[in-house]
Amino acid sequence: MQTRVLIIGGGATGTGVARDLALRGVECILVDKEDINAGASGANHGLLHSGARYVSRDPEAARECWDENQILKTVAPACIEATGGLFAAVQGDDEGFIADFPGYCEKTGIPCTPVDVQEAREMEPALSERLIAAYAVEDASIDPFKLVLENITEAQSLGCRFLRRMKVVGFEKEKSRIRRVDLENRETGERLAVEVDMVVNASGSWAGQIAALAGASIDLIYSKGTLVITHSRITHRVINRLRRPSDADILVPGGTVSIMGTTSIRMKSLEDIHPTVAEVDRIVEEGAVMIPGLETARYIRAYAGVRPLLGGGGGDDRSASRGFDLVDHAEAGIDNLVTITGGKLTTYRLMAEKTADLVCDRLGISEPCRTRTRPLASHHQTRWTVPGFSPREWFKGHDPEDLLLCECEMVPQSAVDQIIAGFDVFEKKVDLTGIGKRSRIGKGSCQGSFCSVRVAAYLYDRGVASARQGTVDIKTFLNERWKGQRCLLWDSPLIQAELQEAMHCGLFGLELL
Amino acid sequence: MTPVNTFESELAIIGTGLAGMAAAYFSQSLGIRTAQIGVSSSAIYASGYLDLLGVHPVERRQQWTDPFSGIEALVRDAPFHPYARLTRAEIQQALDGFLGFLSGMGLPYERREGVNSFVITPVGTLKPTYAVPESMWAGAVACEKKHPCLIVDFWGLKGFSAIQITQMLSPWPGLRPARIPFPAVGPSVDLYPEQMARSLEIEKNRVRLAEDIRPHLMDAQAVGLPAVLGIYKSAAVRAHLEGLLGVPVFEIPTIPPSLPGFRLKERFETEIARKGVRLFAQKRVLKVETENRKGFVLSVGDQATGEIQDMVRARGVILAGGRFLGMGLRAGRKAIIEPLFGLPVFQPGKRAEWHENDFFNPAGHQINQSGIETDEHFRPLDRSGHPAFENLYAAGSILAHQDWMRQKCGAGLAVATAYAAVRAFMGIKRL
């Protein structure tokens, strides 16, 4: 196989680069050792920053956030809910910081309006009675799954190929150029060699490992952040704690839920990243200072991601730059490898633009970037991730033979068919987890207990699952969901988990398989 | 507000799962004036298979053909397991009695004395179980002998794939899948087991079903179908089909909630009331008061509204409310409690230890060892290690130190501990 540009990493940045290049007419292949959003792009707040959070210590990153906030609201409205945001301080928070905040915003050019405390509590009744200051900002919520699926779907429609579950295992170099990249299919172990002109390393937290494999180096620190999703939506707006960034100080609404986080824990390794009970308790208890209802809220899921932060060295990870870094490895002796890392979900488009500019410059292509103004089309295939889409479709009228495989979120067989059709033939495997990433399957109140079995049975009937693999895949799928459940199992989620265990272990005996 | 009546009983049973059902049966069969209160939500999740002991030690995934030898090994290794408080004779008598009760109400069971059968699950795995509904027995036999078999599924019944089951059971020469439309419904609209079962209680639908199966039959010596063969007339439905097809027909459980659980609940509610037990169905005990440490007064009502509708006075109580799904125990963010009597609950030190990182860790989750600790008469202990009440007993999965889901011992545990608890209440000497 052969391509002009091979992009490594299916997160926001990698898919953003794929779309940007595809729009400039540049042939490219995107690979990921897992799937879309397997790293930080799938494990963040879903917050489109106004920039206000960074005004005090990183005005440049703050400014970039504000610019991109405005661009994305224009070009990707279907992925964004323009909720607006509040910065809120409660008794005991640093009054010096509170007093300085509007000045910082003004200096950086980021809109920020003081709100009377009483009025703020009327706008957001979930806020604590101990509120002492509030400012309105232009934060919004953004759906990172829809965003990334839109990017890759448009790139694919323009000829880009996306190979899931393909791991980069080697770079074949000729003098100072990478001539070939060796990939390995994670399911079958088969190798695939891709001859390339340029390689983009957009592998996020794994950027150091990929660079090292190519003989280059990137200095990253890993900061784990855990978040929790509430069963119902708690506020209308994004709520930021008005203080220096710390644990559990942002609550982001998204559709029918809210997401509270985060923590920040320095990690040595990227293996086995999962949320812990201690982190969840910390988020609940600290979050409840600003939003008392979090103490008794029902939670449906926790998840953890790793922020790839730039530059080693000492200091607090929270004060490390949220800016991004585009590294041209030509300086270190590899002419056709660039690494893009750091940054924020909010600035993913800008990061992709800068990367594609550099790639095109190297390839001698003079096509300009189009993503600043071109709307991100809302594609057919990406709609199954949107909460509430499936039920609306269903009630509008449906084919009675198109059975609902997921009854909680109302996902029909035809959705699974469409999703399967989008998988590249090179993967040779249809996995429940991949289907789950592209739909609401497993995300409803049964958390996958029932729909996993229905979808697995359907995949056997369709002939895309066979032997024992389709049933073993139920275990993989449920274990992936489990990572997010196990640290918030009390009250009704624990009851649901017991039912799941009674069924999948007690009756099916899948633990014996 | 409606006036609240008080029902006077000797023994009140809290819970209507298997343990509660067994306790009610044993209690009334000893002539005890019995009341029973519960929401039978968990009974409808039953597959119909009654496990005695299938796996021990769970971390080594060792499966047992002889469940009684398995129990011997288990109680040697786990001396606090509820089975350790029971003799083999008690377990056998309890099972014999309960299976007789089920048979008497039209749900006959088959088993080979002292031997586990390996039975087909909805996802095509095999699990060790002890007693098998008669409607599923031909499947256990065919599976053991590897007779050529046809597995049939239906357009529209989700989560049940004959292809999946046959592929999972491979190698099994002569095992074939077939998909057919369900009679009288047409192709592929959403089908649910209860509706299908009702439809098959009509004769012409069975004739049609047999006609649709017949072309696929070929050399098959038995036909397996999802468990949809009737609710109230299930034996007749199956006998008729077998006559039409000329080979044994067996059911395979569907994913819960499935028909065998529904049949059990329906039959039980009618039968136990007929036998004179006062059943407060779909009700919960909201509050318990004790009278001079000798008796109990239970407030019975609706969980959602909190409205108290009845009072039950009883000399003794059997707590058979299950674990979390049955709401016998309740887990908060920091600890697990027993909500009605405030009994101490054996549990892991902190929440971080409740569950493993791997959901399918064969060793099981620590939280599943939690529950109520009792004396040898199944009386819950207070904090000092003495019986909390003279006449309070516990039975079934609310008991500590067992993992019925991994050990595949749920039914045996429920029935045998219920049997022992009722007999202890009557002061009958241990076997």
Side-chain angles (χ1 to χ4, degrees), chain A residues 125-139:
Chain A
L127 281 169
S128 166
E129 289 174 7
R130 301 173 65 233
L131 187 74
I132 54 167
Y135 292 91
V137 296
E138 298 294 325
D139 289 337

Side-chain angles (χ1 to χ4, degrees), chain A residues 195-412:
Chain A
E195 286 175 30
V196 295
D197 292 334
M198 279 293 290
V199 176
V200 174
N201 174 15
S203 55
S205 293
W206 289 267
Q209 295 178 9
I210 292 289
L213 199 59
S217 95
I218 291 284
D219 191 13
L220 287 179
I221 49 180
Y222 305 140
S223 162
K224 178 175 113 174
T226 287
L227 304 101
V228 294
I229 308 178
T230 59
H231 181 260
S232 51
R233 182 165 173 156
I234 305 212
T235 59
H236 305 290
R237 296 164 187 77
V238 175
I239 310 292
N240 302 266
R241 183 91 169 260
L242 179 48
R243 63 175 178 188
R244 283 188 180 79
S246 178
D247 283 354
D249 51 10
I250 307 182
L251 178 74
V252 179
T256 59
V257 303
S258 289
I259 299 172
M260 186 72 202
T262 63
T263 54
S264 176
I265 297 172
R266 180 79 72 93
M267 304 299 282
K268 285 202 177 76
S269 150
L270 294 170
E271 299 303 314
D272 205 19
I273 297 297
H274 56 82
T276 64
V277 168
E279 285 177 288
V280 166
D281 284 352
R282 166 97 182 122
I283 292 169
V284 169
E285 283 159 17
E286 184 61 29
V289 174
M290 180 169 75
I291 311 279
L294 291 172
E295 184 69 50
T296 50
R298 176 176 168 186
Y299 294 90
I300 52 177
R301 190 167 168 71
Y303 54 97
V306 174
R307 309 173 185 93
L309 300 179
L310 296 172
D316 174 10
D317 293 351
R318 299 239 184 230
S319 59
S321 173
R322 285 338 194 231
F324 61 86
D325 205 0
L326 178 60
V327 183
D328 183 349
H329 294 284
E331 289 147 28
I334 307 171
D335 290 345
N336 59 344
L337 173 68
V338 296
T339 294
I340 175 74
T341 190
K344 307 279 314 160
L345 179 65
T346 302
T347 55
Y348 93 96
R349 191 212 59 82
L350 180 65
M351 294 162 71
E353 175 182 337
K354 297 289 181 203
T355 308
D357 282 350
L358 177 59
V359 167
C360 287
D361 182 54
R362 278 306 147 76
L363 295 175
I365 293 167
S366 56
E367 290 290 327
C369 173
R370 293 178 173 85
T371 62
R372 192 174 278 270
T373 51
R374 182 184 161 98
L376 193 58
S378 196
H379 289 87
H380 203 57
Q381 296 94 315
T382 65
R383 44 191 201 156
W384 304 110
T385 60
V386 180
F389 171 82
S390 258
R392 279 200 302 278
E393 274 293 288
W394 185 257
F395 287 119
K396 254 194 257 163
H398 64 274
D399 175 356
E401 298 193 8
D402 190 12
L403 304 181
L404 289 179
L405 295 178
C406 163
E407 295 183 351
C408 305
E409 298 283 321
M410 306 186 79
V411 185

